Amino acid sequence: MSGEIPSAEPIVHGRDLARGFDESCDVVVIGSGAGGAVVATLLAEAGLRVIVLEEGPYYRPADYQSFRPSESVRRLFREAGMITAFGVGQTPIISLTMGRAVGGSSLLTGGVCFRIPGEVHHRWVKDLGLDELSERALDPAYADVERRIAAREVPAKMRSASTSLFVEGARRLGIEMHPLRRNTGDDCEGNARCNFTCPAGAKRSVDVAYLPSAVEHGARVVSDALVQKVLLEHGRAAGVEGRLLGGEMGAPSHRFRVRAPVVVAACGAVHSPLLLMASGLGARSRALGEQLTLHPAVRVVARFDEEVNGWDGSLQSVYSDHFAGEGIKLVGVYTAVNVLAASLPGVGPKLRRRARDLPRCAVFGAMIHDEGGGTVRLGPGREPILTYAMAPRDLARLRRSITILSEMAIAAGAREVFTSVFGFPALRSMDDAVALERASYDARRIECMAFHPLGSARAANDPRRGVVDQGGECFELPGLFVADGSILPTSIGVNSQVPIMAMATRIAWRLGERFRRIAAQARAASSVGLSAL
Amino acid sequence: MPLPAATAAKATDRLDWPQRGFSAWTRRIVRAAAQAILADEDEAGALVPASPSTCERAVSGFELSVGRSSAELRRGIAVLSVLLEWLPLFVIGAPRRMSRLPLERRLHYFEALEASRIGLLSMLLVAFKVPLAIPAFEEAEELALTGFDRPDTVARRRLPVHDGSLLPAALPLQGSAPVPSSSEAEAGA
């Protein structure tokens, strides 16, 4: 490998490059999702030379807005949406959704915007001693993120009939629903397939809300670039190396190296720990790859007599914290119609009959604020081995969530409710819902999903209890920062996109202020190393 | 011009480029599964396999997804295919491989997997059903069957102002007494 990136494009398709490269810059950012894009953009805006290396491919918004759901799944979802965390003990097998493309998982979210709840911030400060991560400390970062992504409350008129039915059912049970905010500005058309990209271009994923500014300020983005190792020199991070993907079949992969005094890992809560482990880190703290939290989620599909056409309206528009004390958050959901059909119970003619009823079906979801119990381990190949041991209390919460959702649907007049539990008949009454919650069955019969992996390289004020400090810098390796969901010290109980972006914003602001000192320290370390030779 | 064998290092991970993901054997298993999972019934109520075009759409979609994924995932799917093929004896007592069962018995086998008290068996079915059904229901007759009222899954629609009038007529007007939950009803009993 030698020389500069052999392309003048600001966003480069790594798979099209004819050779590797050996570059240097001020900051190299690994990952272009919610954390990486934010850090890269803010540091580029601060005048630093930034290179972003993204493992996944690059698609322009004009490209992916025309992807059918199955195309989105195989081009933008890591492992084509087939990542699972294997359940340990009485734990469902949990399907994880993660992005793998320029823009990361932000391409695949429902656009929901929440700040970390005050009580979670309070716990971080009081119980964990993380005074720099208080609600007040992060307030400016939240405000900046929300401005850039055009976070707006979803107006009632954008609620689908699917959501409205559940809202009415909730009202009858005395459960308050509230409008939520999304990163769609005023541009949502109600196409209800946000998780497979927004055909209207309304969703402000980071490739739209941040990276254009990064590029305008001189940042370079290279897609199809798999970083395999963080370089260590004289006790500090000194850059990264890896190889380009997607080249000509059978041809050797082109290798690259990017040298920088600051390395920011933003590969996500599953892959940042993997990169750190592969770089020889994690021995000092036993926190790396541990205590992964997931916000396990379930949903129900309720059939009504009347037409609902739930695909008309915002995918997500309301939530309830009525059961927050039990660690349960209710959130309106829907999905692309073919994905919904695929998730219905039954096979063969039964599946087809239920698919025919989709115009009369409504959907709602719940996620739990889990205690954690996930681990990330190096696997035999590139992908990790994920396990998750669900705490008994969390399993009880999950089952309770199913009951609550079912009761809401029945209260709204649903004729039958298909729950997330395989092999049980549809529910038709409140008694059925209670009976299901009380039934004894294998937890692995629950269809469980997760969209917010967090906490596997958590921040702490003590290197024995965490992987990074409150500024995101790795205790074991000065110059290496982590800026993604892996650093959140606990589960947060809300959608994680805005929290991750706010944490990344704060890290970037501090890095911008400290960069000269960090670069000087790196040069000094290098001089000491050279003079020792 | 092909690279000399000595210098052409074989890529070990097909995440590098789009590829088909199944061996011929696995493809045959997956296709047999698709015929049953997506089976229909004719006007007389007799079971008919999913059409060749539907099966091909489903299997190709699944295969392309697996082809773009990691080697670990591809190996995992191959192992699951072996299990899917050889488990009928243990699940429904049928001493034949899944792909050689008559359609009706194959369907019965998948229904038994879904209803199994052993959660791992339910998930074995899901591992094939969902990735097959997503491309299957995305187009053509299967998409039309869902009642989706747009020409395709990429088509945009502008939502008219929704004032609550889309709620089913059977629901009482807002302001009526809330329905107690089951736990409240029990507490009051």
Side-chain angles (χ1 to χ4, degrees), chain A residues 209-453:
Chain A
Y210 278 82
L211 287 179
S213 178
V215 158
E216 202 179 297
H217 287 85
R220 304 293 302 281
V221 180
V222 183
S223 70
D224 312 302
L226 174 68
V227 172
Q228 294 175 299
K229 205 169 79 162
V230 176
L231 299 174
L232 283 68
E233 279 178 15
H234 313 298
R236 300 186 59 86
V240 298
E241 63 182 23
R243 62 186 181 95
L244 297 174
L245 305 177
E248 194 180 320
M249 185 157 174
S253 299
H254 299 304
R255 297 200 60 81
F256 62 81
R257 182 186 299 138
V258 179
R259 302 169 198 274
V262 172
V263 176
V264 180
C267 321
V270 172
H271 290 80
S272 278
L274 222 55
L275 176 63
L276 269 59
M277 288 175 196
S279 305
L281 302 171
R284 196 182 305 173
S285 155
R286 282 175 287 183
L288 187 61
E290 299 292 330
Q291 289 196 9
L292 179 74
T293 65
L294 295 178
H295 293 164
V298 290
R299 66 181 176 201
V300 301
V301 179
R303 184 179 66 77
F304 293 82
D305 288 337
E306 307 295 321
E307 280 214 341
V308 176
N309 292 346
W311 48 71
D312 285 339
S314 287
L315 187 96
Q316 301 187 266
S317 53
V318 299
Y319 76 99
S320 176
D321 279 334
H322 187 87
F323 299 94
E326 296 178 52
I328 296 170
K329 190 175 202 78
L330 307 177
V331 188
V333 294
Y334 203 77
T335 191
V337 67
N338 55 314
V339 177
L340 186 56
S343 73
L344 293 170
V347 286
K350 280 185 191 159
L351 176 61
R352 284 179 177 264
R353 278 197 288 278
R354 288 181 180 135
R356 281 191 193 94
D357 277 337
L358 279 177
R360 283 172 287 285
C361 288
V363 186
F364 217 84
M367 67 179 183
I368 64 168
H369 187 156
D370 57 325
E371 294 179 7
T375 63
V376 180
R377 295 277 178 269
L378 285 170
R382 185 193 299 177
E383 293 300 313
I385 296 172
L386 292 177
T387 62
Y388 187 82
M390 186 173 273
R393 189 167 69 161
D394 286 342
L395 179 60
R397 286 166 169 166
L398 205 66
R399 294 178 60 148
R400 174 94 178 104
S401 301
I402 296 170
T403 305
I404 292 166
L405 294 172
S406 303
E407 288 182 338
M408 283 163 54
I410 292 164
R415 291 301 174 208
E416 54 183 2
V417 180
F418 304 116
T419 69
S420 310
V421 188
F422 293 113
F424 278 84
L427 308 180
R428 293 191 168 80
S429 68
M430 299 291 191
D431 288 344
D432 286 350
V434 171
L436 178 62
E437 187 176 352
R438 291 179 178 161
S440 174
Y441 59 82
D442 183 353
R444 285 163 292 198
R445 293 174 74 179
I446 301 174
E447 183 190 23
C448 190
M449 299 157 284
F451 307 94
H452 314 139

